[in-house]
């Protein structure tokens, strides 16, 4: 009898061990898939923003989380949940070009605030908790924390507001120095201005192929998988693009607005070429509508936004120089509204509030009013400019603590310096067809992006390169699409999971210095650390 009981006990223990082993294997598999998805989604995101929800009690399979994700994807496509604060901070630290809106639990927020406040990738923080009074005491002292919330809907409204402000603040610009002259000894900053201006000129002249729009729409379908809200809008765009207009679509806060803003901000030339049909259509519509405007009276418009200290210093160093915004510039005749946006940007300790005041000669610029053509009815005071508009930096005055007014004057083709600029632009592309011109510019701009930071004193002789042999429209000569690269990463991880060796973890540690961040091998190391941490008390 005792022997039978002993066998029964051993059998039960064996079953428990098997069950525990299966459970750990399931956990490992889940964590690997999660980290892999993070790597793929981070690499493939085509928007400026990511929303992260950090809370030890998040259940990604719950109705609450799925409802949250579906709702917030109306604002930002990439929504990432984290249970582990270390993994979350590691992920945020790896972000290069996106801004983070972080939702965090009260206890974790209080514990981590000194760390997360110093992460420049984080734009805003929202504390989500049950005890609002308790956490407001410490949260009110932190600039990046936009509030303490007990319900999710007010967080949605706050993030929507803050995204609009951040989107405006991320509009970048390029500067041509006031010392620019005809001796061709241009510093890197001046050369970059010329090449970007030339690239924008080509974009609005580009004869795109008949299937360009279809290719872009298919691309968007692939990037917005599992986002029903945006997929419905993409379908609407596919069916009704010309109704009512390209400007109407450009002002609508949806997928195309988000993609275009990021592409212009980071100068993603491949993406801008994908969207060339849309950029050209907007430009042609501005020309058509501008011809119907009253051309007699001068006009003053405003734009309020935040700029980094580095960008602001460039403006200070180049008074009387030239400035061009890297987007279709949106302005307003409402000075008070623009000043409000500039003051709001000033509240971000990383930015300086700037009120741009622009004097416009209606006969020497391309712009149009958004009245009755914008997606939003309240746009009657707004003016949009063509992407190749150039201003001269006139006066710079501090009007409040941390708030500056910069007066810009619209230039025209009679300006001697800009005349020479156009001569340089023409020499760069003369006797070249469109693919060759684009290849030349993409090669030059890529060199700037990969080079060391620009120094004011650096000066080089402008060189005109021979045409590039590869045609950008030949698919076989282009770089593989990011999705293809991601498929290869995913396949590699699957192979690692299926052929895991006993010494895999130690080998991963040995290779840690040479593997790219979040590569399949490094993922295995993170998984091991995560499984070990399961034995500890949750950090809350």
């Amino acid at each position: 009898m005792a022997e039978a009981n002993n066998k029964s006990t051993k059998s039960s223990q064996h079953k428990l061990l098997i069950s525990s082993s299966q459970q750990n294997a399931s956990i490992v598999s889940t964590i690997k898939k999660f980290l892999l998805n993070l790597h793929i989604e981070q690499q493939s995101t085509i928007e400026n923003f990511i929303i992260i929800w950090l809370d030890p009690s998040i259940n990604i399979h719950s109705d609450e989380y799925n409802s949250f994700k579906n709702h917030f994807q109306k604002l930002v496509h990439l929504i990432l949940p984290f249970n582990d604060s270390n993994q979350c901070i590691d992920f945020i630290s790896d972000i290069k070009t996106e801004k983070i809106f972080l939702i965090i639990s009260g206890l974790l927020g209080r514990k981590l605030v000194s760390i997360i406040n110093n992460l420049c990738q984080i734009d805003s923080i929202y504390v989500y908790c049950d005890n609002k009074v308790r956490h407001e005491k410490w949260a009110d002292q932190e600039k990046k924390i936009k509030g303490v919330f007990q319900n999710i809907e007010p967080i949605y409204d706050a993030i929507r507001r803050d995204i609009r402000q951040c989107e405006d603040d991320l509009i970048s610009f390029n500067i041509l120095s006031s010392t620019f002259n005809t001796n061709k000894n241009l510093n890197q900053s001046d050369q970059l201005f010329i090449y970007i201006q030339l690239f924008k000129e080509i974009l609005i002249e580009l004869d795109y192929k008949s299937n360009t729009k279809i290719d872009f729409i298919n691309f968007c379908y692939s990037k917005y998988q599992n986002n029903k809200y945006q997929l419905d809008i993409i379908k609407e765009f596919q069916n009704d693009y010309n109704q009512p207009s390209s400007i109407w679509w450009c002002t609508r806060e949806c997928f195309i607005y988000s993609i275009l803003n990021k592409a212009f901000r980071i100068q993603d030339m491949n993406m801008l070429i994908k969207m060339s049909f849309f950029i050209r259509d907007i430009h042609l519509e501005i020309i058509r509508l501008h011809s119907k405007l009253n051309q007699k009276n001068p006009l003053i418009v405003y734009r309020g936004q935040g700029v980094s200290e580095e960008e602001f210093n460039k403006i200070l160093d180049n008074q009387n120089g030239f400035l061009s915004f890297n987007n279709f510039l949106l302005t307003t005749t409402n000075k008070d509204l623009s000043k409000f946006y500039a003051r709001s940007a000033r509240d971000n300790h990383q930015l300086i509030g700037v009120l741009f005041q622009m004097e416009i000669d209606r006969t020497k610029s391309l712009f149009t009013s958004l009245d009755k053509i914008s997606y939003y009815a309240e746009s009657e005071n707004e003016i949009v400019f063509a992407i190749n508009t150039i201003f001269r930096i006139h006066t710079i005055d501090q009007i409040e603590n941390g708030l500056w007014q910069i007066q810009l004057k619209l230039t025209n083709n009679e300006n001697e310096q800009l005349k020479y600029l156009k001569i340089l632009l023409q020499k760069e592309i003369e006797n070249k067809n469109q693919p060759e011109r684009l290849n030349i510019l993409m090669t030059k701009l890529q060199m700037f992006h990969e080079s060391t930071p620009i120094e004011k004193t650096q000066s080089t002789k402008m060189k005109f390169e021979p045409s590039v042999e590869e045609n950008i429209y030949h698919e076989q000569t282009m770089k593989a699409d990011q999705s293809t690269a991601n498929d290869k990463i995913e396949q590699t991880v699957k192979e690692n999971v299926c052929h895991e060796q006993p010494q895999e973890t130690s080998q991963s540690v040995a290779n840690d210095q040479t593997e790219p961040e979040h590569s399949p091998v490094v993922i295995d190391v993170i998984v091991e650390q995560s499984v070990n941490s399961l034995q500890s008390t949750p950090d809350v």
Side-chain angles (χ1 to χ4, degrees):
M1 187 68 176
E3 185 178 351
N5 288 337
N6 189 36
K7 287 182 179 181
S8 176
T9 301
K10 288 182 178 180
S11 176
S12 298
Q13 291 175 344
H14 182 63
K15 289 179 180 178
L16 286 173
L17 287 173
I18 292 175
S19 176
S20 176
S21 176
Q22 290 173 340
Q23 184 179 15
N24 284 336
S26 176
I27 292 172
V28 169
S29 176
T30 300
I31 294 174
K32 280 194 174 186
K33 288 178 181 179
F34 176 67
L35 291 172
L36 172 63
N37 287 335
L38 288 187
H39 175 72
I40 293 174
E41 291 188 272
Q42 179 191 359
Q43 294 299 319
S44 63
T45 183
I46 51 177
E47 298 183 349
N48 277 323
F49 309 117
I50 300 172
I51 292 177
I52 290 178
W53 187 1
L54 173 59
D55 192 318
S57 62
I58 290 180
N59 179 1
I60 62 175
H61 302 296
S62 67
D63 292 338
E64 179 191 18
Y65 174 74
N66 288 326
S67 175
F68 161 84
K69 183 175 181 179
N70 291 335
H71 189 37
F72 277 70
Q73 276 190 328
K74 296 177 183 178
L75 303 177
V76 176
H77 174 62
L78 189 52
I79 314 288
L80 299 177
F82 280 89
N83 296 107
D84 184 275
S85 57
N86 291 328
Q87 289 179 3
C88 181
I89 291 172
D90 287 345
F91 177 80
I92 294 173
S93 299
D94 290 340
I95 296 296
K96 304 301 182 186
T97 60
E98 293 79 32
K99 286 293 184 180
I100 304 294
F101 293 84
L102 177 65
I103 303 171
I104 192 169
S105 65
L107 292 176
L108 270 184
R110 186 172 187 177
K111 181 177 180 180
L112 299 175
V113 66
S114 61
I115 300 175
I116 58 180
N117 251 344
N118 294 325
L119 295 173
C120 62
Q121 296 91 337
I122 296 178
D123 180 87
S124 302
I125 302 170
Y126 312 84
V127 178
Y128 184 33
C129 63
D130 292 328
N131 193 333
K132 184 176 181 179
V133 175
R134 175 187 178 187
H135 293 294
E136 278 181 331
K137 294 179 181 179
W138 62 267
D140 286 344
Q141 309 301 316
E142 307 297 335
K143 281 191 173 182
K144 283 191 178 182
I145 295 181
K146 299 302 179 73
V148 180
F149 305 86
Q150 290 179 292
N151 299 302
I152 207 70
E153 192 60 34
I155 298 180
Y156 178 91
D157 294 335
I159 291 181
R160 183 179 184 184
R161 175 200 66 215
D162 295 335
I163 282 176
R164 287 181 176 179
Q165 177 71 56
C166 191
E167 197 82 79
D168 284 341
D169 296 339
L170 290 176
I171 298 294
S172 60
F173 48 81
N174 295 101
I175 292 177
L176 183 68
S177 65
S178 56
T179 58
F180 169 74
N181 54 51
T182 60
N183 63 12
K184 293 189 180 182
N185 291 323
L186 306 177
N187 62 39
Q188 286 192 10
S189 180
D190 288 342
Q191 290 186 58
L192 184 61
F193 182 97
I194 291 172
Y195 292 137
I196 291 177
Q197 199 67 19
L198 178 54
F199 185 71
K200 288 189 287 188
E201 293 281 352
I202 293 178
L203 278 178
I204 59 181
E205 297 172 358
L206 192 61
D207 294 327
Y208 55 84
K209 294 185 176 182
S210 58
N211 64 339
T212 303
K213 187 180 80 169
I214 297 174
D215 290 343
F216 175 70
I217 290 171
N218 290 334
F219 170 83
C220 293
Y221 275 127
S222 69
K223 292 298 182 181
Y224 284 92
Q225 294 181 48
N226 304 317
N227 187 334
K228 185 179 184 304
Y229 176 79
Q230 294 294 352
L231 288 175
D232 287 343
I233 298 177
I234 295 171
K235 185 175 182 180
E236 181 185 345
F237 180 85
Q238 179 179 3
N239 296 331
D240 303 315
Y241 167 57
N242 294 321
Q243 301 296 328
S245 73
S246 54
I247 290 180
W248 184 89
W249 278 104
C250 184
T251 58
R252 184 175 180 177
E253 293 176 359
C254 63
F255 74 99
I256 196 162
Y257 170 88
S258 301
I259 298 173
L260 186 66
N261 283 348
K262 183 176 182 181
F264 271 125
R265 179 173 73 87
I266 67 173
Q267 295 165 17
D268 185 341
M269 293 166 285
N270 288 316
M271 181 60 68
L272 290 172
I273 291 171
K274 285 181 188 290
M275 303 183 75
S276 59
F277 75 96
F278 185 62
I279 294 168
R280 183 186 180 191
D281 287 350
I282 294 172
H283 184 77
L284 292 177
E285 187 176 1
I286 291 175
I287 292 175
R288 179 176 59 82
L289 293 172
H290 179 263
S291 65
K292 299 179 181 180
L293 295 177
N294 180 352
Q295 303 291 338
K296 295 181 180 180
N297 300 324
L299 183 67
I300 296 179
V301 296
Y302 305 89
R303 177 178 177 82
Q305 71 172 80
V307 301
S308 68
E309 184 176 354
E310 179 184 3
E311 289 179 319
F312 183 71
N313 287 333
K314 286 181 183 178
I315 296 176
L316 289 178
D317 291 340
N318 289 282
Q319 189 166 348
N320 295 320
F322 299 94
L323 183 148
S324 178
F325 290 88
N326 292 327
N327 209 327
F328 291 99
L329 180 64
L330 192 63
T331 64
T332 177
T333 57
N334 188 331
K335 182 176 181 178
D336 291 336
L337 180 62
S338 293
K339 189 178 286 188
F340 170 80
Y341 283 123
R343 284 172 175 155
S344 298
R346 177 187 60 183
D347 294 338
N348 184 330
H349 69 285
Q350 297 175 345
L351 300 175
I352 295 171
V354 171
L355 175 66
F356 289 106
Q357 176 180 304
M358 307 167 195
E359 296 182 17
I360 301 169
D361 183 337
R362 293 173 183 262
T363 64
K364 298 175 181 178
S365 61
L366 277 178
F367 66 90
T368 188
S369 168
L370 291 183
D371 186 22
K372 297 180 181 179
I373 61 173
S374 171
Y375 178 81
Y376 298 100
E378 64 271 19
S379 300
E380 64 271 10
N381 294 320
E382 293 183 338
I383 303 290
V384 64
F385 287 86
I387 58 171
N388 56 348
T389 305
I390 300 176
F391 299 92
R392 182 185 282 278
I393 302 169
H394 189 53
T395 61
I396 305 171
D397 301 298
Q398 186 170 8
I399 55 178
E400 293 178 11
N401 183 31
L403 183 63
W404 295 73
Q405 178 170 300
I406 299 175
Q407 186 180 24
L408 304 176
K409 287 192 174 182
L410 192 71
T411 60
N412 60 67
N413 292 332
E414 300 306 312
N415 180 279
E416 289 300 322
Q417 287 177 292
L418 291 184
K419 273 185 178 180
Y420 182 69
L421 170 62
K422 286 195 172 291
I423 291 173
L424 285 181
L425 299 184
Q426 291 168 0
K427 285 184 177 180
E428 285 286 289
I429 59 175
E430 61 185 358
N431 301 321
K432 306 291 191 301
N433 60 35
Q434 284 185 344
E436 289 173 336
R437 293 158 68 190
L438 277 171
N439 271 296
I440 291 171
L441 283 173
M442 291 176 73
T443 301
K444 288 179 178 291
L445 288 170
Q446 187 64 35
M447 291 170 61
F448 277 105
H449 291 317
E450 293 175 351
S451 64
T452 55
I454 296 171
E455 296 183 11
K456 298 176 190 175
T457 58
Q458 186 169 2
S459 179
T460 57
K461 186 73 88 176
M462 178 95 58
K463 295 181 180 179
F464 304 134
E465 293 186 356
S467 62
V468 179
E469 292 182 359
E470 295 97 331
N471 186 322
I472 62 165
Y473 295 116
H474 292 172
E475 295 183 2
Q476 65 269 25
T477 65
M478 295 186 68
K479 292 182 179 180
D481 186 82
Q482 182 64 52
S483 60
T484 303
N486 290 335
D487 290 341
K488 293 180 179 178
I489 294 172
E490 185 172 11
Q491 181 61 35
T492 306
V493 172
K494 288 179 180 178
E495 292 172 359
N496 285 351
V497 173
C498 295
H499 302 92
E500 208 163 9
Q501 299 299 322
Q503 300 301 320
E504 182 183 17
T505 301
S506 60
Q507 184 63 44
S508 300
V509 175
N511 293 336
D512 187 50
Q513 298 300 317
T514 58
E515 289 290 339
E517 292 173 321
H518 287 170
S519 69
V521 177
V522 176
I523 286 175
D524 286 336
V525 177
I526 300 175
V527 168
E528 183 190 21
Q529 295 170 348
S530 302
V531 173
N532 292 338
S533 69
L534 294 174
Q535 308 302 322
S536 306
T537 304
D539 184 16
V540 295

